[in-house]
Amino acid sequence: MERKLDIAGMTCSTCEAKVKKALLGVEGVKSAQVSHATGTAFIKGKTLPSDKDLKQAVEKAGYALRKEKFPWGFIGLLTGAIVVFFATQSLYGSLTFDPTNTEVTLGLVVAYGLVSSLHCIGMCGGIAFSTSVSAQVKNPMRRVWQYQSGRILSYTISGIVLGMMGKVFTISPMFTNILLLVAGLWMIFLSLTMVKLIKVNLPEFNFIKGKSDRGPFFIGLLNALMPCGSLQTMQVMALGSANPLLGGGIMLVFGLMTAPSLISMQWLGARINAINGRRIQIVAAVLVALMGIQMTLRSPIVAAPLNDLVMNLTGQKTMAPVVDGYQTVNLHLDRGTYVLDYAAVKAGIPVKLTFSWEGITGCTNPVNLTFINRMVDIKKNPEPIIFTPEETGKLEIVCWMDMVRTYLYVN
């Protein structure tokens, strides 16, 4: 077992030595690492001593063991962040644009980056969180800056490369979907190791698991490959600039504007990591697992067959009725979800797809109808879309950020 202690009164290396000696003198402590710079000590042992014994040992050495205080400031900040998150969700619709036709301005990139940073919590927040919560370190902020520097560097390099190319270039959707799935599964695995349900040593993956000082930096470097709609929108803008300096600048500014939200997730991980106790570690593991499950289910590799299974088990593949020669289906947008009133149509018969929405649409608007390669802004142009499905299968309907999706089945 390992535990972190906050020690008050240390000012030099001599203090470190005194505290270390005092801690090692307590029954159950097998090793101790002490830092006067951070005012912390990490102790290890099979069965760690009680707070009372530790406090007596530290005070006998002339120092004080700080008591844990209820983090009212943290609770207030988190509450405020949640309020801001839901309040600004409605801005997604008003700040969407066609990156191939819109003139690039600094103000546009800054505004888009700030609003998209909320989306970043859903896409990459779990990864950022795990870089701080998965390892005991003396200086957690170092891991924060390492991850952010790797992420922003990868964004900037991708902008430079795309600006140099000046032509259509995309990473294979299958590759990004696999990357998303692997990241989600790894976070689930990590959560199981955090609560000791799985005990496996993988030295070759230490930089991913967080044991290496450079681990967060390498993880950040992979962020430019994530299948994130807002990120890919900026990359298309960098591509359209046909200028490596402008392309790199666009991605650099976008990376800086999305940093605050991800830093907050890393800070949350560091705060949880700093609190002692088995229960807190279980809470941290649950959070990592939930984010990993969310990321895994977001990958179409898992989402598509799972959706098929749910539809078959619940019998929700209700055929759309034919009205005036058209199979009529309505897509309803409500609080960040897609709801089809009918989930199945017949091949060879025209389909009239209508739209409706209420409340905050979040990233669900505009809607990407991938089967006809068309983006529809429901708020600005809610006119029905008419098409004729020629083959059986399923038609994907996904949000412009590639986060929310549903399927229309063709029989």
Side-chain angles (χ1 to χ4, degrees), residues 127-172:
I127 297 175
F129 179 84
S130 64
T131 61
S132 297
V133 79
S134 60
Q136 293 281 4
V137 292
K138 295 181 179 180
N139 185 8
M141 289 307 297
R142 180 181 179 185
R143 301 176 69 81
V144 171
W145 303 130
Q146 285 180 334
Y147 171 75
Q148 293 300 329
S149 61
R151 185 182 68 89
I152 294 173
L153 177 61
S154 68
Y155 281 15
T156 305
I157 292 176
S158 70
I160 293 174
V161 172
L162 291 171
M164 291 175 63
M165 296 187 66
K167 59 182 180 180
V168 175
F169 172 76
T170 57
I171 300 173
S172 168

Side-chain angles (χ1 to χ4, degrees), residues 148-218:
Q148 293 300 329
S149 61
R151 185 182 68 89
I152 294 173
L153 177 61
S154 68
Y155 281 15
T156 305
I157 292 176
S158 70
I160 293 174
V161 172
L162 291 171
M164 291 175 63
M165 296 187 66
K167 59 182 180 180
V168 175
F169 172 76
T170 57
I171 300 173
S172 168
M174 178 57 69
F175 175 79
T176 57
N177 290 333
I178 291 175
L179 181 64
L180 187 63
L181 177 61
V182 170
L185 292 176
W186 177 258
M187 290 181 64
I188 295 173
F189 172 80
L190 179 60
S191 69
L192 296 177
T193 62
M194 289 170 65
V195 292
K196 304 298 189 295
L197 290 177
I198 294 180
K199 298 180 180 180
V200 179
N201 293 322
L202 298 174
E204 65 271 24
F205 294 126
N206 280 348
F207 78 94
I208 297 178
K209 199 172 181 180
K211 295 181 180 179
S212 167
D213 288 339
R214 297 182 297 274
F217 177 78
F218 288 118

Side-chain angles (χ1 to χ4, degrees), residues 19-90:
V19 172
K20 182 175 182 179
K21 182 178 179 180
L23 293 173
L24 290 175
V26 182
E27 185 178 355
V29 178
K30 299 301 181 182
S31 66
Q33 293 182 341
V34 184
S35 171
H36 75 276
T38 60
T40 58
F42 290 91
I43 59 174
K44 291 183 179 181
K46 289 185 177 180
T47 304
L48 295 179
S50 64
D51 289 347
K52 181 180 178 180
D53 293 338
L54 291 171
K55 181 180 179 181
Q56 289 178 349
V58 172
E59 290 180 348
K60 188 175 180 179
Y63 304 92
L65 183 64
R66 293 192 184 98
K67 293 183 178 180
E68 296 179 16
K69 296 181 180 180
F70 190 79
W72 288 110
F74 164 69
I75 296 299
L77 183 62
L78 181 61
T79 302
I82 293 174
V83 171
V84 171
F85 174 81
F86 284 106
T88 54
Q89 277 283 326
S90 58

Side-chain angles (χ1 to χ4, degrees), residues 234-253:
M234 287 292 101
Q235 288 175 331
V236 171
M237 290 189 70
L239 179 68
S241 69
N243 184 318
L245 293 180
L246 181 57
I250 290 172
M251 295 307 301
L252 173 61
V253 173

Side-chain angles (χ1 to χ4, degrees), residues 242-284:
N243 184 318
L245 293 180
L246 181 57
I250 290 172
M251 295 307 301
L252 173 61
V253 173
F254 178 72
L256 292 173
M257 292 303 101
T258 54
S261 62
L262 295 177
I263 290 176
S264 70
M265 292 299 296
Q266 291 182 279
W267 178 78
L268 173 61
R271 288 284 298 175
I272 290 178
N273 212 36
I275 300 175
N276 302 318
R278 172 70 173 172
R279 292 182 180 179
I280 294 300
Q281 289 301 315
I282 292 176
V283 170

